């Protein structure tokens, strides 16, 4: 098992087993990077870091869709299924939602329109693009109730 | 840019694997039917650009942001 060093401007240099590098042949839309690592923050919580293994500056905060919108399903086309090299019998599939920060932390959103589909077994990922009313790019992460309780939502 | 005029029901072939059919023209909107190989992804361009733009914005964050949201999510306020 060989360790590789992944420099990161936010988290310092991380040592990762090479086998844990996620391949993303088509990258994140708008970015050239093809290799990422998924880092777990020291404090437990729903948020993970999706750090580029090629650009120390590029990292996304992501959250498992099951933790956030368990009721929502994300359809894959047969082509996407194949590109992710998923096992048709037992697809080990996780959807990660990209978090967009906001000045007020209660206003952070997740992108339901462009989730990252991840083959958790083979560590191949692809950002898919979905069309439909359920899939907005800015879905509030915190429920309106929580926002109201904090007095931030008067609507 | 190549510009072609087509009537409803007429087709444009792009190579031998892609065809675009004009299905309907109504009130300033053109409905197109597209046949293409499975491995080609077809999006309405504005959706693609929207996700791309959201990615750019999502990539712009710092550790303070993460500290603050992690503190909130830890209090059970999460959806």
């Amino acid at each position: 098992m060989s360790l590789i060093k992944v420099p990161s401007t936010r988290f310092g240099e991380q040592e990762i087993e090479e086998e844990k590098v996620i391949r993303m042949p088509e990258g994140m839309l708008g970015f050239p990077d093809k290799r990422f690592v998924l880092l777990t923050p020291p404090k437990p919580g729903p948020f993970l870091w999706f750090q580029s293994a090629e650009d120390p500056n590029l990292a996304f905060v992501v959250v498992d869709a099951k933790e956030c919108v368990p009721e929502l399903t994300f359809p894959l086309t047969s082509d996407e299924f194949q590109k992710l090299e998923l096992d048709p019998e037992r697809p080990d599939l996780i959807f990660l939602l990209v978090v967009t920060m906001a000045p007020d932390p209660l206003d952070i959103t997740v992108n339901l329109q462009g989730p990252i589909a991840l083959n958790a077994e083979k560590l191949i990922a692809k950002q898919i693009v979905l069309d439909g009313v359920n899939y907005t790019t800015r879905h509030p992460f915190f429920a309106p109730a929580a926002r109201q309780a904090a007095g931030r939502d008067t609507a | 840019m190549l510009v072609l005029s087509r009537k409803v029901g007429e087709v444009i072939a792009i190579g031998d694997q892609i065809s675009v059919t004009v299905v309907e023209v109504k009130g300033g909107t053109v409905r197109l039917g597209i046949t293409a190989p499975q491995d080609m992804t077809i999006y309405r361009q504005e959706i693609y650009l929207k996700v791309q733009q959201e990615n750019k914005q999502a990539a712009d964050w710092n550790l303070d942001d993460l500290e603050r949201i992690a503190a909130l999510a830890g209090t059970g306020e999460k959806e």
Side-chain angles (χ1 to χ4, degrees):
Chain A
M1 205 176 295
S2 57
L3 289 173
I4 59 157
K5 289 185 163 66
V6 178
S8 156
T9 46
R10 294 180 182 84
F11 320 116
E13 189 171 82
Q14 302 280 324
E15 284 210 327
I16 305 283
E17 289 158 31
E18 203 168 358
E19 292 79 3
K20 293 198 173 158
V21 173
I22 296 167
R23 284 178 292 144
M24 206 172 188
E26 292 166 49
M28 295 289 286
L29 294 183
F31 293 93
D33 312 56
K34 308 283 187 251
R35 292 160 74 241
F36 286 83
V37 292
L38 201 54
L39 304 172
T40 316
K43 281 186 199 161
F47 304 107
L48 302 168
W49 308 324
F50 197 61
Q51 168 72 49
S52 163
E54 295 162 8
D55 177 359
N57 282 309
L58 183 64
F60 296 92
V61 177
V62 296
V63 60
D64 189 334
K66 273 194 302 232
E67 302 263 335
C68 181
V69 281
E71 71 285 359
L72 198 62
T73 52
F74 299 93
L76 285 184
T77 64
S78 57
D79 172 55
E80 286 162 344
F81 200 92
Q82 272 178 20
K83 279 185 178 161
L84 288 164
E85 297 181 28
L86 287 160
D87 180 350
E89 304 281 308
R90 289 183 305 112
D92 193 354
L93 178 61
I94 294 172
F95 289 96
L96 299 171
L97 305 178
V98 180
V99 178
T100 304
M101 296 295 172
D104 185 330
L106 277 167
D107 292 334
I108 62 163
T109 54
V110 289
N111 186 349
L112 302 179
Q113 192 149 40
I116 302 166
L118 169 67
N119 179 339
E121 187 197 352
K122 293 195 173 173
L123 297 184
I124 304 168
K126 177 174 166 46
Q127 185 171 34
I128 62 170
V129 176
L130 299 169
D131 196 358
V133 286
N134 288 329
Y135 307 108
T136 71
T137 48
R138 297 229 166 153
H139 176 78
F141 178 80
F142 291 103
R147 297 165 44 80
Q148 238 157 27
R152 311 290 173 93
D153 220 359
T154 47
Chain B
M1 192 197 292
L2 172 67
V3 180
L4 299 169
S5 298
R6 300 275 63 191
K7 294 195 173 76
V8 171
E10 292 183 334
V11 182
I12 293 167
I14 304 170
D16 54 5
Q17 299 208 71
I18 301 169
S19 68
V20 181
T21 310
V22 180
V23 175
E24 187 188 51
V25 182
K26 195 173 158 189
T29 304
V30 183
R31 279 164 57 84
L32 302 172
I34 301 161
T35 310
Q38 271 286 319
D39 62 338
M40 298 214 89
T41 345
I42 300 164
Y43 308 115
R44 291 186 286 144
Q45 192 180 34
E46 65 270 25
I47 293 179
Y48 182 90
L49 292 175
K50 218 168 128 194
V51 172
Q52 192 172 325
Q53 216 165 39
E54 197 62 25
N55 277 352
K56 298 252 185 223
Q57 184 143 2
D60 181 21
W61 61 280
N62 60 50
L63 281 176
D64 288 344
D65 293 325
L66 192 63
E67 286 280 318
R68 287 183 296 149
I69 62 168
L72 280 175
T75 60
E77 286 186 283
K78 195 169 70 69
E79 195 173 347

